[in-house]
Amino acid sequence: MMRRIWTVLAMALLLTVPLAAQQAEAAETLLQTAIKKEVVDGNLAGAIEGYQKALAAAKGNRPVTAKTLLRLAECYQKMGDGQSRAMYERVIREYPDQKESVAVARDRLGGKAGASDGIVTRQVWVGPNRDDYLGAISADGRLLPYSDQTTGDLAIRMLATGETRRLTNKGPWTQSKEEAEWPGAISADGKTVAYGWAGKNGFELRTMPVVGGDARVLVRNEEISEIEPAAWSSDGGYIVAVVRRKDRNNQIVLVATNDGRMRTLKSLEWRYPRKVSLAPDNRSIVYDAPAHSTQAQRDIFLLATDGSRETAIVEHPADDYGALWTPDGKRIAFLSNRSGETGLWVVPVTEGKAGAAEEIHAGVGARNQAKPLGFSRNGSYYYASGGTGTSDVYVAEWDAETGRVKGMPSRLSERNVGRNIDPVISPDGKQVAYRSLRREGMTVVRSLETGAERDVTFEGAPPGPQVWFGDSRALLRFGTDSEGRQAMYRLEVETGQVRRLLQFRSGETTRSMQPGVSPDGKIVYYLARSPEAKEPLLRGYEVGAGREREIATGLRFGGGRSSLAVSPDGRHLAIAADNGDTRILSLVPLRGGASRELLSSPKMRAHLGLSWTVDGRHVLYTGASEDGQNDLWRVAVESGKTEKVALHGGGVRWVGVHPDGRRLVFSGGTARNNKREVWAIENFLPAGRRLTNP
């Protein structure tokens, strides 16, 4: 009898072992299938479904479960979904033996596992287009004014019911160019909205009942180019606003609501605050601004409404912005990237003096792009984020002769997945520099020989696309500085040193997203727009001599964005530029001869980079396919023949060819949707320190 029992147990064990192996193999297969949907296809919804199936199949398999939870959390994080944090925390809490997965989860949380303490992140609205301008949330959290850019009208969103109502009815853009440019703020009693109106008679500050009715003009001044209402006093007696004057002097002002008299509280000169907030007791204002002209990062300042004093309440090398008074008037909440990604921070304030700042919630907003909308009376914090989407840097083997990619592209880096864009290969082929959206202005420099990466933040240089100088030691970037002036910068990748090479003349601008650099690095080419010229001017900046010269005139370009690239032999310059409803790719000889158009197409993406093949026979560019995705195309220099380069996935941009001619580096991912998302963060202060109504 006992022998029979042991025989049965042994047979069961023999059957169980292969079954467990089969289950583990099935879970791993499901995991890899889901990863392909996420990374290659850019299908986040399908990937989430696949990861959930992999979790169900991986029961008891701790390594696969931990890895799957990480991928699932990453998907939710890319979508701006707050439940990603709970999944990262679950990996740390329930799978401490999976050390590699735990390390990744801690990194995603900024090293602050388990700190959420009951935080609820709730999506309030997915609806306003990315082009729509959003105002401030009402005190009861029910109303959100915004500028509906389908017509330019002022509209109100009732968040509780989901109803949207236009308050103005100006007609379509074809009939009127007027618009509610600043949708503004709602009075404390919830009855009136203040907004900035760009009208036929200039810019005006107006008010209107939130239920609709006649508009009342409070301010109309010929010296003002814009006026942004920021907040109402608690009694409705005045409105705090930011004025942009035509002489480029920006001001914080108080506007009386009975007669429209305007009192200047603070002249900011060239600085412009992203957010201005009035304390519940009406005694002080907080706003953000760069501390000086060489600093792009912002600090936060406290200003008495009687003009008696001003202090810097938050000073830090990071970018601190979007300051808001909490409803109890005891704290200031603000956004900061000091922990590596944009998070919500709170600092206590007593008698005008700040205590220690504390991060309350990390990873605010999809792609870390958040616009604070205000607090409701119950302490809920509202913000808007841009449309969801992802981008990573990839490397692919390719056959330059046939224009075909060999195999699957591989992700260049596993750091900051979903938030890496615009790679550029150094002329010596040893390094790739790309922009990381983890922190504004951050560049990552990766060695292609060792795989080592360095994070570089170029202090004082505006963020934006960049190209290498010929010496492979520095990057070139155009940008608008904190004073609103355009300039050209040299960025040293080893030291982070920033040197301004060229200051544009007054009134001149450039929209060259990718300037062209000669192979020896001595000349930088770009399109400049001058008030006196009808068409952009093609200019060359001689780096050694520090002077500009005109290269060509009479080119058929509009005033839109452009990309430029110099041929490997330095003889020709390829220029892709917007020109009205179409885009033109031209070839300009740099040593004499006539320019010619290679391509004219409305589907070309002129601002997403150009690249030459090593043999100089083709120019690579980004263009839209029938499905609307951005794909890689090439055009033959001699014949003008175009063909699509077969890259897996979509969303391709900023393609570079390695000097060996056998590799492509590019960024790609899922397209951002065209909607803004409005979120509420609730219970975001630790227990015992919840917000209370004043």
Side-chain angles (χ1 to χ4, degrees):
M1 184 68 174
M2 184 62 70
R3 178 177 295 176
R4 184 179 299 171
I5 293 173
W6 281 109
T7 301
V8 171
L9 289 173
M11 292 179 65
L13 182 62
L14 288 172
L15 290 172
T16 301
V17 171
L19 180 61
Q22 291 173 11
Q23 289 176 334
E25 184 177 347
E28 185 66 39
T29 300
L30 288 170
L31 175 60
Q32 294 304 317
T33 301
I35 290 175
K36 178 183 177 296
K37 284 188 176 181
E38 177 194 352
V39 175
V40 179
D41 301 335
N43 183 355
L44 293 181
I48 288 173
E49 183 179 349
Y51 289 136
Q52 290 170 339
K53 290 179 180 178
L55 278 178
K59 288 183 178 178
N61 188 328
R62 295 179 65 79
V64 174
T65 300
K67 286 191 292 184
T68 305
L69 282 171
L70 281 179
R71 302 297 313 202
L72 189 57
E74 201 169 87
C75 271
Y76 281 123
Q77 190 169 21
K78 291 174 182 178
M79 297 174 69
D81 194 320
Q83 62 181 303
S84 61
R85 185 180 187 89
M87 292 182 181
Y88 288 134
E89 291 174 347
R90 180 182 170 190
V91 171
I92 296 168
R93 184 176 62 252
E94 298 181 13
Y95 298 90
D97 55 313
Q98 305 302 311
K99 298 187 182 302
E100 185 174 341
S101 295
V102 168
V104 174
R106 288 188 183 278
D107 179 66
R108 296 289 191 270
L109 290 170
K112 298 188 177 184
S116 60
D117 192 28
I119 289 176
V120 176
T121 303
R122 179 170 56 89
Q123 193 175 68
V124 177
W125 183 25
V126 180
N129 291 324
R130 280 191 296 159
D131 293 334
D132 292 343
Y133 308 133
L134 301 178
I137 198 80
S138 62
D140 59 10
R142 297 165 62 91
L143 305 177
L144 179 64
Y146 71 99
S147 177
D148 182 351
Q149 288 298 292
T150 58
T151 62
D153 281 302
L154 176 68
I156 289 279
R157 174 76 173 185
M158 276 68 79
L159 298 176
T161 65
E163 179 188 356
T164 297
R165 183 175 67 246
R166 285 183 185 165
L167 300 186
T168 61
N169 186 19
K170 56 171 280 292
W173 289 111
T174 54
Q175 293 181 10
S176 171
K177 300 300 183 183
E178 294 182 294
E179 66 171 312
E181 191 164 324
W182 293 108
I186 295 174
S187 58
D189 61 9
K191 295 181 179 181
T192 309
V193 59
Y195 60 100
W197 184 261
K200 299 176 182 177
N201 300 316
F203 210 94
E204 300 168 343
L205 175 61
R206 294 182 173 188
T207 61
M208 177 183 287
V210 296
V211 296
D214 294 332
R216 177 175 172 235
V217 177
L218 278 182
V219 175
R220 181 191 296 139
N221 190 318
E222 292 182 356
E223 297 179 355
I224 291 175
S225 58
E226 292 181 20
I227 182 166
E228 176 188 359
W232 290 69
S233 61
S234 58
D235 61 2
Y238 61 85
I239 296 168
V240 181
V242 182
V243 167
R244 193 190 299 271
R245 295 171 56 89
K246 292 181 179 179
D247 62 5
R248 298 183 65 186
N249 183 20
N250 303 318
Q251 299 171 331
I252 298 175
V253 301
L254 304 182
V255 181
T257 56
N258 60 347
D259 58 10
R261 282 185 300 173
M262 192 165 58
R263 178 166 66 93
T264 300
L265 196 61
K266 174 72 177 180
S267 289
L268 299 169
E269 297 179 339
W270 50 268
R271 300 180 299 166
Y272 195 90
R274 296 184 191 173
K275 194 69 178 177
V276 174
S277 177
L278 179 63
D281 63 6
N282 303 321
R283 295 172 58 189
S284 58
I285 291 168
V286 289
Y287 70 93
D288 59 69
H292 48 78
S293 61
T294 61
Q295 176 180 308
Q297 292 76 17
R298 292 168 176 260
D299 291 330
I300 294 172
F301 301 87
L302 183 67
L303 175 65
T305 51
D306 63 4
S308 61
R309 66 187 186 284
E310 181 184 23
T311 58
I313 201 75
V314 176
E315 293 181 289
H316 194 277
D319 194 22
D320 302 317
Y321 70 97
L324 291 168
W325 280 102
T326 57
D328 61 1
K330 297 178 180 179
R331 306 167 183 88
I332 294 171
F334 62 96
L335 299 174
S336 177
N337 62 6
R338 62 180 68 185
S339 65
E341 60 180 344
T342 302
L344 177 62
W345 291 68
V346 168
V347 58
V349 178
T350 305
E351 297 297 327
K353 295 182 180 180
E358 176 186 5
E359 186 176 27
I360 298 298
H361 191 62
V364 174
R367 276 192 159 187
N368 297 325
Q369 296 176 348
K371 169 183 170 60
L373 302 177
F375 278 101
S376 62
R377 288 195 187 96
N378 68 2
S380 295
Y381 175 88
Y382 290 81
Y383 71 94
S385 67
T388 57
T390 66
S391 178
D392 282 298
V393 175
Y394 294 89
V395 60
E397 298 285 336
W398 87 311
D399 186 335
E401 187 66 31
T402 64
R404 300 300 175 192
V405 172
K406 301 176 181 179
M408 294 286 291
S410 59
R411 197 154 55 189
L412 184 68
S413 175
E414 293 300 319
R415 298 173 64 230
N416 308 319
V417 171
R419 293 178 286 177
N420 301 319
I421 63 173
D422 301 348
V424 285
I425 306 172
S426 61
D428 61 11
K430 296 181 179 180
Q431 302 175 92
V432 171
Y434 62 89
R435 297 166 59 201
S436 172
L437 298 177
R438 183 186 180 198
R439 176 179 294 178
E440 185 178 27
M442 177 183 286
T443 294
V444 179
V445 180
R446 181 182 178 91
S447 168
L448 292 178
E449 297 175 329
T450 66
E453 292 189 337
R454 293 186 297 108
D455 296 338
V456 186
T457 301
F458 299 105
E459 300 291 344
Q466 52 206 7
V467 296
W468 285 92
F469 275 99
D471 58 10
S472 296
R473 295 167 49 192
L475 295 165
L476 166 68
R477 187 186 297 172
F478 281 120
T480 302
D481 63 20
S482 52
E483 297 185 38
R485 302 174 301 180
Q486 285 202 302
M488 179 195 300
Y489 299 88
R490 178 183 170 97
L491 317 173
E492 303 290 342
V493 297
E494 286 295 328
T495 64
Q497 180 184 0
V498 175
R499 183 158 60 96
R500 186 161 58 186
L501 299 179
L502 171 68
Q503 180 73 59
F504 277 73
R505 289 186 281 270
S506 177
E508 285 193 346
T509 59
T510 181
R511 300 195 71 187
S512 293
M513 309 302 289
Q514 174 190 305
V517 182
S518 62
D520 58 11
K522 294 181 178 180
I523 303 177
V524 178
Y525 300 96
Y526 56 93
L527 293 177
R529 185 81 181 182
S530 171
E532 299 82 23
K534 294 182 179 180
E535 294 291 334
L537 306 172
L538 176 59
R539 285 189 176 149
Y541 176 77
E542 299 175 7
V543 178
R547 62 172 178 255
E548 292 179 288
R549 59 184 174 92
E550 286 191 8
I551 304 299
T553 58
L555 299 175
R556 191 166 71 94
F557 295 131
R561 295 173 294 183
S562 61
S563 297
L564 295 81
V566 181
S567 61
D569 61 8
R571 292 178 175 270
H572 292 89
L573 178 67
I575 305 176
D578 294 340
N579 186 17
D581 295 331
T582 192
R583 283 85 181 169
I584 297 173
L585 177 58
S586 299
L587 203 63
V588 178
L590 296 175
R591 300 180 185 178
S595 302
R596 60 187 175 95
E597 290 184 7
L598 278 181
L599 174 66
S600 177
S601 170
K603 294 184 177 181
M604 183 170 57
R605 301 293 187 249
H607 63 289
L608 296 182
L610 289 177
S611 186
W612 288 76
T613 54
V614 172
D615 59 12
R617 294 168 54 193
H618 292 87
V619 176
L620 303 180
Y621 66 93
T622 300
S625 296
E626 295 301 323
D627 59 2
Q629 285 275 22
N630 290 334
D631 289 305
L632 179 62
W633 296 73
R634 71 175 186 174
V635 56
V637 172
E638 291 298 325
S639 67
K641 178 184 177 182
T642 62
E643 58 183 331
K644 184 164 71 172
V645 176
L647 277 178
H648 302 275
V652 175
R653 58 181 280 166
W654 225 257
V655 179
V657 181
H658 191 275
D660 64 14
R662 302 191 304 271
R663 286 176 284 176
L664 299 177
V665 176
F666 63 96
S667 58
T670 62
R672 298 181 66 185
N673 66 45
N674 200 36
K675 302 293 184 182
R676 281 200 179 189
E677 302 164 1
V678 178
W679 294 79
I681 302 178
E682 301 164 345
N683 304 327
F684 70 89
L685 287 179
R689 293 193 286 134
R690 302 288 186 208
L691 294 178
T692 57
N693 293 335

